[in-house]
Amino acid sequence: MDFLDRYVIRISWWSLKKIYRILIVTTLGGFFIGLIAFYLYMSSLPTLSTWHTTLLKHEYTSHSKIKNIDAYMALEKKLFTELQTEVYDKTLPSEQDHLNRYSKEGISNPSLWKTSWNQSFERNVTNPKAAVLLLHGMSDSPYSLHTQALYLHEQGYHVLALRLPGHGTIPSGLRNMKWQEMATVVQMGMKHLEEKVGSKPIHIMGYSTGAPLALHYTLEALKESSQLRVPSKLVFYSPAIGVSAAAPLAVWQSRVGYVLGLPKLEWNALLPEFDPFKYGSFAVNAGDQVYRLAKEVQTQFDALAQHPSSKAFPPVLSFSSIVDSTVSVPAVVNDLFNRLPKVSQTSLDTHSLVLFDINHNFSRNYLIKDAKMFEMQTLRETPINENYSFELITNLHTKDRTVQRIVNHTQTQTLPYKWAKGLYSLSHLAMPISPNDPLYGNQDAPKSPGIELGHLAIYGETGVLQTSASSLLRQRWNPFHGYTKQRVLTFLEKKHLEEKH
């Protein structure tokens, strides 16, 4: 028995030592394989260019001694002068490319356009009926809402379109910017418009990240102790109310890159810069700031629910594509419209959610993923809520590409619009864009002074073009822009009708 005990103990100890050695070898092997894989991954990433590494000193930050929009625009002029000297004048010969927006002779250079749409702009009008503040999206510029600015100005509105901090210059501007800095500029913009139009209505129109910025401002203004002017109406395009669940984890990639001295890890995407008014490259920090802003808005809604304000929440009109790969459309329903307080009974308007369905005349939906079909069907069946009206723009019940407007699942109206042939859906990018947009519009749009991106769905072999096929195939203009324009104008005018009574 003693012999067996000694034998078993001796065998067990030998086994433990062997297992221990195997674990060490396996761990070290896995570590070195991981290092090799990481090295190969880093080597596969594109080289960082001047516009990824340069940090412009005249960009607005929380440390800037700026208190109003006039000072902000003055600083912005210095910023764009610095952009010229530090980027355009220093772009390396290897970085010069006919397609590159940072090449002086490139077809994507923003200077080809008569108006500097990357910068903040203001359109005055004598005796304005109201004012509108326009807020673009993340990685975007004021160009995205310039069509709305033009038609609103023509209708007698005083318009201010802001370039948000970090935007309109070089992608590196998104590496360190904070959502609080953008929110501060929004406050300055509203104060500026209040000085311009006095007690007349002031509305906010927000695209993508511009929407939660508008909501953040509104919810701050609704606080009983706040001196901020509550906007009269809110209009949203593709609102960024909810983002990917992985967003809070992505920021650690950037932090690891900073600690290890690997700046490429600060980027989610390093792509060619061929759009004059929108970055191709996307910093990790940019996505993190959208996530933090959206989370803060939900915290504000929680506080409003616990302590309702005596001030009236402004009516909201929002447009979204039923499919959106940038933001969560279900979040627009659940985290925005289902949380909105009722509009005052004295108002002539209500909150309205408008969803644009896919084209059901396209290949009978055979090419669409089952998961997407289920998600879209859930959205089509959005329960009627007394807080808002739900509108679906769809050709689900027509035999061709003609669309109908279905309100609260019952009221049906045929609209004078059709899906374009070969187009199966809208997109996050397309929502505010007119088919007549020179840069993003269809083949019948006015000629662009430079590159045209709205109708580049071309056929050929893979691995030939400088950019991915997916970036060329993504829809960039809205065939129903005429409908959204009329809805916006009618929505904004109702307030004035109410005031006349």
Side-chain angles (χ1 to χ4, degrees), residues 79-131:
L79 173 69
F80 277 81
T81 298
E82 183 185 6
L83 174 66
Q84 181 66 40
T85 58
E86 296 300 318
V87 179
Y88 283 95
D89 292 347
K90 293 184 178 180
T91 299
L92 300 173
S94 60
E95 297 172 333
Q96 296 287 343
D97 186 287
H98 193 56
L99 194 64
N100 181 10
R101 69 181 278 186
Y102 300 110
S103 295
K104 290 185 178 181
E105 306 301 324
I107 63 171
S108 299
N109 191 320
S111 65
L112 294 174
W113 298 71
K114 293 181 179 180
T115 302
S116 182
W117 295 117
N118 278 316
Q119 298 184 45
S120 303
F121 63 87
E122 188 170 16
R123 297 291 183 268
N124 300 298
V125 62
T126 302
N127 190 26
K129 64 176 68 173

Side-chain angles (χ1 to χ4, degrees), residues 5 109 127 130 160 178 208 313:
D5 289 340
N109 191 320
N127 190 26
L160 174 62
K178 303 298 181 185
S208 191
F313 200 103

Side-chain angles (χ1 to χ4, degrees), residues 179 243-249 286-296:
W179 71 262
V243 294
S244 170
L249 301 177
D288 181 56
Q289 294 306 311
V290 178
Y291 167 77
R292 291 174 184 272
L293 172 60
K295 185 177 179 181
E296 176 62 22

Side-chain angles (χ1 to χ4, degrees), residues 27-46:
T27 301
L28 290 175
F31 176 74
F32 284 114
I33 291 174
L35 282 179
I36 294 172
F38 181 73
Y39 172 78
L40 293 175
Y41 168 73
M42 294 299 297
S43 300
S44 70
L45 294 176

Side-chain angles (χ1 to χ4, degrees), residues 45-53 95 262-265 267 270:
L45 294 176
T47 302
L48 293 177
S49 300
T50 303
W51 43 92
H52 297 122
T53 57
E95 297 172 333
L262 299 171
K264 289 184 180 181
L265 287 180
W267 299 89
L270 291 167

